[in-house]
């Protein structure tokens, strides 16, 4: 499905861009006399209801065939795999982030903190943690009526503002409903993509923009159900936009789709790369003169996002070249028996 891979490619770019903005760009000491940092920060915030809900919806769409398999296949191929990747890369992140203590992201400072991140308070790698538990949950409730599963998941998502959400637990609560929606409504989502029109693109985009404006004007981000509704609108817009892009700009869509098929290495590698670049760049960029800083401030997030993604893919290729595939997939039983 070209539209789905295209959407995943856009989503991983938005994930990296958001981390670049809030964990690096906004921490630079800007003295340019223009509110460019605020503009970039606001733009990133407007895309928050889109990137992870759309990512999880597509993950649910792709999960349908996997969940039809026996428990032992799902347990190893999905649940154990994602928990293994989460554990391995949590250890990598903890080691690298210790080198850049000023980098603003959650990290474990003690064995107890590491245990907490492994179990009840997921780290910035929470997407992998969520996928493992989402697969287990979806498999366990597979024979229940759809409403009996979706309604409680929607209530959980709608009520996140009333729950304690240390670490990235809030995203874990919010996005189960989107994973399940992708799983249960795959035919409807595919039909939505197949029948996407320019008129629907403009209409859904306008509804999304109005919903964002109203949410911001009323300060309603944590009102019960508001974020869920805005995110649902964003997902419809995202599916429509990805489908239209695949038709209207096939060459661009193809490049994004190629990126969408290799999101895992970007996701797990980009944060340590960004942390190290932050340690190298924040001081020199803060010390630039006003004119030079103004030039840098205009496109800094876009350029650094591209650099981080490029370096992440380069590191991935290097690790594969030295046969470190175990960093990106659950080692096979055959390999374990041989060892």
């Amino acid at each position: 499905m070209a539209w789905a891979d295209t959407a995943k490619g856009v989503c991983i770019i938005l994930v990296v861009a958001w981390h670049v903005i809030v964990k690096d760009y906004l921490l630079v000491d800007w003295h340019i006399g223009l509110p460019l940092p605020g503009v970039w920060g606001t733009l990133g915030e407007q895309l928050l209801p889109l990137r992870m809900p759309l990512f999880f919806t597509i993950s649910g769409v792709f999960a349908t065939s996997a969940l039809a398999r026996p428990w032992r296949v799902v347990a190893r191929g999905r649940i154990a795999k994602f928990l293994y990747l989460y554990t391995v890369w949590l250890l990598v992140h903890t080691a690298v982030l210790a080198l850049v203590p000023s980098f603003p992201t959650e990290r474990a400072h003690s064995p107890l903190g590491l245990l907490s991140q492994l179990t009840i308070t997921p780290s910035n790698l929470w997407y992998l943690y969520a996928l493992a538990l989402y697969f287990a949950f979806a498999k366990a409730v597979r024979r229940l009526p759809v409403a009996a599963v979706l309604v409680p998941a929607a209530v959980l998502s709608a009520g996140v503002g009333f729950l304690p959400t240390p670490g990235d637990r809030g995203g874990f609560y919010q996005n189960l409903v989107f994973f399940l929606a992708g799983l249960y409504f795959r035919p409807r989502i595919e039909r939505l993509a197949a029948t996407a029109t320019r008129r629907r693109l403009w209409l859904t985009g306008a509804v999304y923009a109005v919903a964002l404006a109203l949410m911001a004007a009323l300060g309603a981000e944590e009102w019960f159900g508001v974020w869920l509704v805005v995110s649902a609108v964003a997902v419809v817009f995202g599916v429509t936009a990805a489908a239209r892009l695949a038709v209207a700009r096939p060459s661009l869509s193809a490049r994004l789709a190629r990126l969408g098929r290799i999101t895992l290495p970007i996701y797990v590698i980009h944060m340590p790369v960004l942390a190290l670049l932050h340690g190298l760049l924040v001081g020199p960029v803060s010390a630039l003169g006003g004119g030079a800083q103004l030039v840098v401030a205009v496109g800094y997030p876009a350029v650094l996002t591209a650099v981080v993604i490029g370096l992440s893919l380069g590191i991935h290729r290097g690790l594969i070249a030295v046969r470190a595939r175990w960093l990106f997939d659950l080692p096979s039983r055959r390999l374990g028996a041989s060892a």
Side-chain angles (χ1 to χ4, degrees):
M1 294 183 288
W3 69 267
D5 286 330
T6 298
K8 286 178 63 183
V10 172
C11 286
I12 196 62
I13 292 172
L14 294 180
V15 167
V16 177
W18 176 242
H19 290 156
V20 165
I21 291 169
V22 299
K23 298 179 186 295
D24 180 75
Y25 181 69
L26 295 181
L27 298 182
V28 172
D29 180 16
W30 298 106
H31 40 87
I32 54 179
L34 292 174
L36 281 173
V39 170
W40 275 106
T42 300
L43 176 62
E45 287 178 347
Q46 306 318 302
L47 297 170
L48 287 177
L50 172 69
R51 58 186 183 91
M52 295 314 294
L54 180 57
F55 223 144
F56 276 106
T57 300
I58 294 171
S59 297
V61 168
F62 285 136
T64 52
S65 58
L67 285 169
R69 295 170 183 167
W71 255 109
R72 59 181 177 80
V73 177
V74 176
R76 177 173 174 78
R78 293 296 186 273
I79 302 170
K81 173 183 174 179
F82 289 124
L83 287 177
Y84 165 80
L85 291 174
Y86 176 71
T87 302
V88 167
W89 282 99
L90 178 60
L91 296 175
V92 173
H93 280 213
T94 301
V96 175
L97 292 174
L99 303 175
V100 194
S102 64
F103 186 67
T105 197
E106 293 288 335
R107 83 279 302 283
H109 298 284
S110 66
L112 188 60
L114 184 62
L115 178 62
S116 175
Q117 288 193 331
L118 282 169
T119 53
I120 60 172
T121 308
S123 72
N124 51 54
L125 291 161
W126 67 275
Y127 175 74
L128 299 174
Y129 174 92
L131 277 184
L133 298 190
Y134 289 0
F135 266 98
F137 176 76
K139 183 65 175 176
V141 301
R142 189 164 174 263
R143 299 189 183 280
L144 293 180
V146 171
V149 179
L150 267 183
V151 171
V155 171
L156 176 65
S157 180
V160 163
F162 303 93
L163 299 172
T165 55
D168 283 288
R169 203 186 296 172
F172 174 76
Y173 293 157
Q174 282 179 322
N175 288 287
L176 172 60
V177 67
F178 294 103
F179 179 82
L180 294 172
L183 176 66
Y184 291 135
F185 302 138
R186 174 174 177 167
R188 295 183 184 180
I189 294 170
E190 290 177 331
R191 187 160 58 250
L192 178 70
T195 59
T197 62
R198 185 180 300 177
R199 180 173 179 273
R200 187 196 297 162
L201 175 63
W202 286 106
L203 177 61
T204 55
V207 173
Y208 180 34
V210 170
L212 286 172
L214 287 174
M215 184 170 66
L218 297 173
E221 291 87 350
E222 295 188 0
W223 291 7
F224 184 86
V226 170
W227 186 270
L228 173 62
V229 171
V230 175
S231 296
V233 171
V235 168
V236 175
F237 166 69
V239 170
T240 303
R244 287 300 306 163
L245 187 64
V247 173
R249 300 289 297 275
S251 59
L252 175 58
S253 176
R255 288 194 291 271
L256 289 169
R258 283 197 295 272
L259 196 64
R261 288 189 285 271
I262 50 173
T263 54
L264 175 63
I266 298 172
Y267 181 74
V268 297
I269 296 173
H270 83 273
M271 192 68 78
V273 169
L274 178 58
L276 294 173
L277 289 175
H278 173 77
L280 293 173
L281 295 174
V282 67
V285 175
S286 296
L288 288 174
Q293 248 204 356
L294 178 59
V295 174
V296 172
V298 172
Y300 183 98
V303 172
L304 189 56
T305 296
V307 169
V308 169
I309 290 174
L311 288 174
S312 298
L313 292 175
I315 292 169
H316 172 245
R317 285 193 292 270
L319 290 171
I320 295 300
V322 298
R323 299 186 178 182
R325 291 183 181 274
W326 56 272
L327 285 168
F328 303 99
D329 202 358
L330 189 65
S332 67
R333 290 193 181 94
R334 183 179 303 173
L335 178 61
S338 174

